[in-house]
Amino acid sequence: SIHMKRAFQDWLRTKYGSKENLQKSWNRQIDFNDVDIPAKKERFGDTEATFRDPAKEMDVIDFYIFYSEIVADTIDYFAAVVKDATQNRKVVGAFYDYMYEFRGGPEFGHNAGAKIVRSKNIDFICAPPSYYQRQLGSGAECYRRPFLTGTLHNKIWFHDNDLATFLFPKVMKKHNVTDADIKRYMEALAVTPTAQ
């Protein structure tokens, strides 16, 4: 959007201070007002490469840093609204920093964990376990984020373990979920009803 583009341009002005510094970093002639959000093809880049080349792709590197920071800033903004509305009497947290499963993938906007752990408006950080191999009674359970980082910054770590257990069919029947719906859900997880 035009708003995201302008926010990116403003972020670059703060980072570089002058168009000369921007041009030196990006290795090309450009002014702040001419900066656009990198296209999808540019953002995805060479999927065979482990790292980006700053001499050729600094615009994409900067955009992704900005993008993660704006996600973290937005979370912090709304956390401050809640803190203000409750006169700081409520514990406030956010789901963020899914580093392990996303492997630092910048499209997710989860690479500004340092901003979240330094926020005075965030009391806890949470994440569900991986959604990989979530079969009933046999699925994997792993952390998505580096939880000790939050602990070092006096943040509570909340692990939202929302995996279904082998008791899932029994519990769902107690809540009047039909056998057909239970079977459909279990089939979606590639599990047979015998996993009870």
Side-chain angles (χ1 to χ4, degrees):
S1 70
I2 188 66
H3 307 290
M4 191 70 158
K5 177 179 170 178
R6 287 177 185 156
F8 183 38
Q9 292 170 349
D10 289 343
W11 183 89
L12 291 168
R13 285 184 183 94
T14 300
K15 178 179 179 179
Y16 290 108
S18 70
K19 74 175 181 180
E20 291 76 22
N21 290 336
L22 175 69
Q23 291 170 356
K24 184 177 179 183
S25 179
W26 284 21
N27 202 22
R28 67 175 189 255
Q29 293 296 311
I30 192 163
D31 197 350
F32 294 110
N33 293 331
D34 300 323
V35 169
D36 207 345
I37 293 173
K40 185 176 181 180
K41 183 178 179 182
E42 297 171 287
R43 294 196 320 267
F44 280 62
D46 182 358
T47 57
E48 299 298 315
T50 302
F51 300 106
R52 291 189 180 273
D53 182 351
K56 299 175 184 173
E57 301 176 285
M58 196 61 207
D59 59 333
V60 178
I61 294 169
D62 275 338
F63 174 73
Y64 276 136
I65 294 169
F66 156 76
Y67 178 63
S68 281
E69 286 188 3
I70 204 166
V71 171
D73 288 343
T74 302
I75 290 169
D76 186 50
Y77 172 83
F78 285 107
V81 169
V82 173
K83 285 290 189 182
D84 184 56
T86 62
Q87 287 89 42
N88 288 313
R89 292 181 307 210
K90 298 294 180 181
V91 178
V92 178
F95 284 79
Y96 192 75
D97 211 8
Y98 296 11
M99 291 298 296
Y100 298 148
E101 188 166 19
F102 291 169
R103 299 180 310 278
E107 283 287 316
F108 297 102
H110 277 249
N111 294 340
K115 283 196 147 202
I116 294 292
V117 297
R118 290 187 177 104
S119 167
K120 64 181 177 27
N121 303 306
I122 300 288
D123 302 305
F124 69 91
I125 305 165
C126 50
S130 171
Y131 282 80
Y132 173 72
Q133 292 187 348
R134 291 175 62 110
Q135 297 90 339
L136 302 180
S138 65
E141 156 68 309
C142 70
Y143 294 129
R144 279 185 163 184
R145 65 171 304 276
F147 58 94
L148 289 179
T149 304
T151 304
L152 292 172
H153 288 85
N154 297 315
K155 305 298 181 197
I156 298 167
W157 160 239
F158 173 66
H159 182 61
D160 179 27
N161 187 337
D162 60 356
L163 294 174
T165 73
F166 69 96
L167 295 173
F168 170 79
K170 186 177 180 180
V171 171
M172 291 297 100
K173 283 183 183 181
K174 283 186 178 181
H175 291 282
N176 299 318
V177 177
T178 66
D179 287 339
D181 284 341
I182 293 171
K183 182 179 178 189
R184 191 169 23 259
Y185 180 81
M186 294 176 75
E187 285 172 351
L189 294 174
V191 177
T192 61
T194 56
Q196 298 178 27

